[in-house]
Amino acid sequence: MDNSMERRDHNYIVEPVCTSALLKRNCSKEPLRSRNMPRLEFDIQLETIPLKLSQMQYRQIMDFLKELDRKERQLKFRKWRPKVTVSGKG
């Protein structure tokens, strides 16, 4: 067995959860007349999702969200950036 297949310790942030799903199926032989009436309909009920984050994981998530905000702001003002480089000679 190579190294990638060996058992490693992981720090999971989501614990196992219980859920239930109810599938409703429209068994009509007629073609669907409306896009609002699906052939299959799922009703999924999910219990609470417990998360366990270390202080470092929480900090990394918050830093990532700050970078997403910064990138969104950068894209918003990109249209006013010059299309050519500014030369130092003039």
Side-chain angles (χ1 to χ4, degrees):
M1 201 181 291
D2 63 11
N3 290 340
S4 64
M5 299 298 285
E6 290 179 9
R7 185 176 183 282
R8 296 184 184 149
D9 291 331
H10 296 284
N11 293 326
Y12 296 106
I13 61 172
V14 178
E15 294 181 357
V17 296
C18 291
T19 186
S20 62
L22 176 66
L23 169 64
K24 296 177 188 175
R25 183 173 169 212
N26 183 351
C27 296
S28 171
K29 293 185 179 186
E30 306 261 333
L32 296 177
R33 301 277 183 211
S34 169
R35 291 185 183 267
N36 296 332
M37 192 168 85
R39 180 77 65 187
L40 296 173
E41 188 175 331
F42 292 93
D43 183 19
I44 298 175
Q45 294 186 358
L46 186 65
E47 294 179 5
T48 59
I49 301 173
L51 295 177
K52 287 185 178 179
L53 297 176
S54 68
Q55 187 66 28
M56 185 171 66
Q57 288 171 326
Y58 178 77
R59 194 176 311 122
Q60 288 173 341
I61 288 173
M62 296 310 291
D63 290 343
F64 177 72
L65 291 174
K66 284 180 189 174
E67 283 300 311
L68 283 180
D69 286 341
R70 186 186 68 78
K71 188 67 174 171
E72 185 177 336
R73 243 185 348 266
Q74 182 185 35
L75 289 174
K76 187 170 141 182
F77 296 112
R78 178 166 280 185
K79 64 182 174 184
W80 288 294
R81 289 184 59 132
K83 302 281 189 239
V84 295
T85 59
V86 178
S87 63
K89 299 177 183 179

